[in-house]
């Protein structure tokens, strides 16, 4: 069975409450349930993890190399300045798809740059929570050619 890790970074535990006009009304728990079911439909197992702490996310990325076939990662604000997360992603062979609910390129100028994008397998932005589903499909294509 294909195994993926869903990582969500800082403030994503506030989904559904934090700026719903930007991030929507779906809570993190609802999103994780939807995505776990979605992955299961494609024969994949999804493990979900959220942290507001950079080091905890780095530990998950390091661990992922021996446990998972791919990572779907919404790094939140760490996207724009975390060279430590960039180095963690670059240090593993596990493909990572960077996901953002909002279009970071159409927001405040400080959000336009992703220091992680150059070391990820791809980036999906601005498609709401559907971006997570697309990332799962992309990873399926990468690891087994199973995307429908």
């Amino acid at each position: 069975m294909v195994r993926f890790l869903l990582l969500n970074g800082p403030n994503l535990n506030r989904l559904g409450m934090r700026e719903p006009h930007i991030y929507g009304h779906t809570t993190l728990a609802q999103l994780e349930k939807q995505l776990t079911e979605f992955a299961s439909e494609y024969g994949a197992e999804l493990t979900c993890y959220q942290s507001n702490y950079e080091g905890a996310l780095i530990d998950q990325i390091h661990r992922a190399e021996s446990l998972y076939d791919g990572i779907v990662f919404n790094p939140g604000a760490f996207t724009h300045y975390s060279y430590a997360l960039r180095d963690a992603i670059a240090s593993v062979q596990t493909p990572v798809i960077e996901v953002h609910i909002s279009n970071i390129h159409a927001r405040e100028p400080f959000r336009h740059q992703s220091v992680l994008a150059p070391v990820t397998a791809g980036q999906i932005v601005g498609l709401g929570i559907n971006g997570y589903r697309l990332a799962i499909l992309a990873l399926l294509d990468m690891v087994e050619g199973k995307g429908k």
Side-chain angles (χ1 to χ4, degrees):
M1 174 176 276
V2 176
R3 298 183 72 214
F4 296 138
L5 175 63
L6 169 63
L7 283 181
N8 278 294
N11 297 309
L12 286 152
N13 57 309
R14 304 282 301 158
L15 279 178
M17 300 170 275
R18 175 185 173 221
E19 300 176 279
H21 62 286
I22 295 173
Y23 301 107
H25 296 280
T26 303
T27 67
L28 181 61
Q30 291 167 332
L31 175 64
E32 290 175 345
K33 182 177 186 292
Q34 290 173 17
L35 294 174
T36 299
E37 291 170 359
F38 180 79
S40 180
E41 291 173 18
Y42 288 86
E45 180 182 306
L46 186 68
T47 300
C48 304
Y49 183 84
Q50 186 278 329
S51 181
N52 294 318
Y53 301 99
E54 184 179 37
L57 295 167
I58 290 167
D59 288 342
Q60 289 295 317
I61 293 167
H62 290 170
R63 252 184 84 233
E65 189 166 42
S66 63
L67 297 174
Y68 301 102
D69 300 295
I71 301 170
V72 175
F73 188 19
N74 184 338
F78 288 141
T79 301
H80 316 294
Y81 64 88
S82 179
Y83 294 103
L85 281 170
R86 182 193 193 285
D87 290 348
I89 293 167
S91 79
V92 298
Q93 296 299 310
T94 310
V96 176
I97 304 285
E98 180 183 341
V99 174
H100 297 281
I101 295 168
S102 68
N103 182 351
I104 62 173
H105 306 292
R107 296 188 59 197
E108 304 92 336
F110 74 88
R111 295 187 197 273
H112 295 182
Q113 174 69 31
S114 168
V115 300
L116 309 180
V119 295
T120 63
Q123 183 188 64
I124 300 170
V125 303
L127 300 178
I129 61 173
N130 286 324
Y132 289 96
R133 289 183 190 90
L134 293 172
I136 290 169
L137 292 175
L139 285 172
L140 284 166
D141 280 343
M142 284 178 203
V143 301
E144 287 197 351
K146 283 191 171 182
K148 291 184 181 176

